Amino acid sequence: MLVLSRKTGESIQIDDDILVTVSEVKGGRVRLSIEAPRSIRIVRQEILERDFPEKSPEIPLDLQAPSLRCVS
C-alpha cells in the first residue's frame, strides 16, 4: 500500500488516465475529485461491502451494477 500526503488542490496520477485531486479538507472529511475513463468503475468500499457482503474484501471489478459509476 502506498500512503501519500496531499494538500487541497494537489493531485496524484494513477497510470496514464486516472487523476485523483484533493478538492476539500474540512474537519475529519476529505473530498476527492476523480477523473477517469468511463470504462473504469469507481465505487466507495462501504457500498460494495453493503451490497455484496459475501464477496468482501475481494470484490471482482466486473460487477454489473448500474449504480457503480455514481459516487457521492
Side-chain angles (χ1 to χ4, degrees), residues 1-42:
M1 174 185 293
L2 173 64
V3 178
L4 299 171
S5 296
R6 301 279 74 204
K7 295 178 182 177
T8 301
E10 294 181 333
S11 302
I12 60 168
Q13 183 79 35
I14 302 172
D15 209 18
D16 291 331
D17 51 4
I18 300 172
L19 183 67
V20 180
T21 303
V22 177
S23 298
E24 179 181 6
V25 178
K26 189 174 185 179
R29 298 182 65 96
V30 177
R31 288 189 100 158
L32 300 174
S33 300
I34 303 170
E35 294 180 41
R38 293 202 57 75
S39 61
I40 303 293
R41 289 210 168 88
I42 301 170

